[in-house]
Amino acid sequence: MRIIIEEHPNVLDVSELLRPEPKFVDKEVSKFRDYTVDESDPLKERVRRTYKLMHTHQTVDFVKGRHAEWLKFDHFKATVRQALEKLNDLVDESDPDLDLPNIVHAFQTAERARQEFPELDWLHLTGLIHDLGKVMAFYGEPQWAVVGDTFPVGCEWGPSIVYREDSFVDNPDGANPKYNTKNGMYQPSCGLEQLTMSWGHDEYLYRVLKHNGSTLPEQALHMIRYHSFYPWHSGGDYHHLTNEKDEQTKQWVLMFNRYDLYTKSTTLPDIEALWPYYQGLIDKYCPGELEF
């Protein structure tokens, strides 16, 4: 689930490092590393620096530019399996907890969902593909625009955002009266689908699946789109912009995050034995070559 990018070869997938929240943990919290601010710790400083870059550059204009670049879906074509295997080539060798290829995490997530809900085959596939948007890393996208927690641009930043106190000081939207108020460019209770999210692998994969006519149900698409939106689903922020439908979405996202975040272990799935089952799901919900 971690990516190396040429421009930042030692930067970690920060969405991994500031988790888990206690309410999701299946083992003692003390067994996870502490990623609080510590200027003497190079690893923690890399994480903080990544979020600083994200929170400086993820503006309304930046996201519009990423939409213009990526939503033409003209970077490459691949089947879901090919995209998974492509992403699997990138392993972060500086991972402090577990050095596993991305595809192992994908199958661990999928199999945990399959174990709990064997009848929901679409949920199994969602677990398998939820990180596919990280293929942007192969095409020059910096890591701070690929991984990590997401948030809406164009309004006041939620207080529970990681490093919120000082990481946005250089973001120009903070001085723009169109964007720096509680509602910003949105109407109260407008709903999640009306928000412009910071750019990353969640939004990109959601758009890829919609563009290619995937028949995954709405719940699956929302799990993919919002699974990194921690300030909302775990931090309690942005509820002034959401609606009643979004509360149902939140329950699905919280359920999914149990599989995504806490399935890492040294027990490896037999990927070759599992491929036929998951290929059948790919053929059912996301067949053929997709335009990325």
Side-chain angles (χ1 to χ4, degrees), residues 9-30:
N10 295 314
V11 176
L12 304 177
D13 178 342
V14 291
S15 63
E16 292 298 294
L17 299 184
L18 297 169
R19 307 298 169 211
E21 283 89 351
K23 69 179 180 179
F24 292 122
V25 174
D26 290 333
K27 58 183 178 180
E28 293 178 21
V29 178
S30 61

Side-chain angles (χ1 to χ4, degrees), residues 3-4 8-14 46 49-50 92 94 143:
I3 292 176
I4 296 174
H8 308 287
N10 295 314
V11 176
L12 304 177
D13 178 342
V14 291
R46 283 198 295 268
R49 187 163 58 247
T50 301
D92 185 350
S94 63
Q143 188 149 351

